[in-house]
Amino acid sequence: ATALAVALLVLPGAGGAEPQKPLSSCRGSERYIPQGTFPVEYPGSDAARRKWYSLALERMREPALSCRGWPGAEAYRILWLSDRYPPVGIRITRYAQSYELVATQLSGLGYNDPGVILNQIHKTLTAADWSRLQAALEKNGFWAMPTSGNFYGLHGEQWIIEGGRNTAYHITDRWTPPAGAYRELGRLFFELAGWLAPAAGP
């Protein structure tokens, strides 16, 4: 994880890719994560967890994947929040036959004030890149996965992966996932961004 923080800080800024295309015009306090997403037995209340994740996404100036009414577009995003390192968000979006990636690093900490945008890149991906993402999602059974994980700790990272397509939305949240399909999916976002992924293990 130490290498992650250093590597992101020295990366160049935007590489000349096209500007972001907004997926929706959703507004209000629940524009990122709908109310009632997290179960009552989850660590922290549903409201507190939605506020925590939404603040980081808002600081990244990210669109809300949970909004309805953007047929034809499909997007997936990882939000990586650590208690020791700056927050990272990486979104991959398909518009018709074009594929775009936006990766953002904030200046704060994932478990405290997330800060402001420190580094952001825009990239155009290939159809092969998109196919790799789809294969990783399929391997996880992403759209059928439960939202919450089954264990949490005091030190580590939250790996929050969201998906939106047509009128469907799904979010999964895991604390420091062990080696396996879910961690591989999360690391793929970093690989496609060209950013060093977090090291394996807690």
Side-chain angles (χ1 to χ4, degrees):
T2 302
L4 168 72
V6 174
L8 295 186
L9 289 174
V10 300
L11 283 173
E18 294 180 7
Q20 297 182 55
K21 301 181 181 69
L23 297 179
S24 67
S25 59
C26 283
R27 302 178 185 278
S29 61
E30 296 172 12
R31 63 186 179 278
Y32 286 107
I33 303 172
Q35 184 177 3
T37 291
F38 300 110
V40 293
E41 66 271 15
Y42 223 56
S45 68
D46 175 71
R49 193 159 291 264
R50 287 187 295 113
K51 181 178 179 180
W52 174 19
Y53 298 168
S54 294
L55 178 59
L57 292 171
E58 183 176 51
R59 295 285 181 86
M60 293 175 183
R61 300 176 185 171
E62 275 289 296
L65 303 191
S66 61
C67 297
R68 304 297 187 260
W70 36 284
E74 184 172 359
Y76 298 91
R77 176 171 59 213
I78 183 169
L79 177 64
W80 186 84
L81 300 174
S82 168
D83 63 340
R84 293 170 291 177
Y85 303 109
V88 174
I90 303 172
R91 171 171 47 87
I92 298 172
T93 308
R94 175 186 64 80
Y95 301 98
Q97 298 304 310
S98 66
Y99 310 92
E100 298 178 356
L101 178 146
V102 178
T104 306
Q105 180 195 27
L106 299 179
S107 61
L109 291 175
Y111 283 20
N112 294 293
D113 184 343
V116 297
I117 293 177
L118 180 65
N119 189 30
Q120 187 174 74
I121 62 171
H122 301 247
K123 291 179 63 175
T124 298
L125 300 183
T126 66
D129 293 329
W130 180 257
S131 294
R132 289 183 63 195
L133 176 61
Q134 291 296 308
L137 292 163
E138 180 67 25
K139 184 176 181 179
N140 278 269
F142 171 77
W143 287 97
M145 290 180 68
T147 290
S148 61
N150 56 4
F151 69 96
Y152 294 88
L154 297 177
H155 302 290
E157 310 98 31
Q158 298 297 142
W159 296 51
I160 303 114
I161 300 178
E162 299 174 86
R165 60 184 182 190
N166 295 322
T167 60
Y169 170 75
H170 189 51
I171 181 171
T172 58
D173 182 13
R174 300 293 183 271
W175 178 82
T176 313
Y182 191 82
R183 194 175 188 96
E184 291 172 7
L185 171 60
R187 289 171 62 87
L188 179 58
F189 283 86
F190 285 84
E191 180 182 340
L192 293 174
W195 285 5
L196 186 62

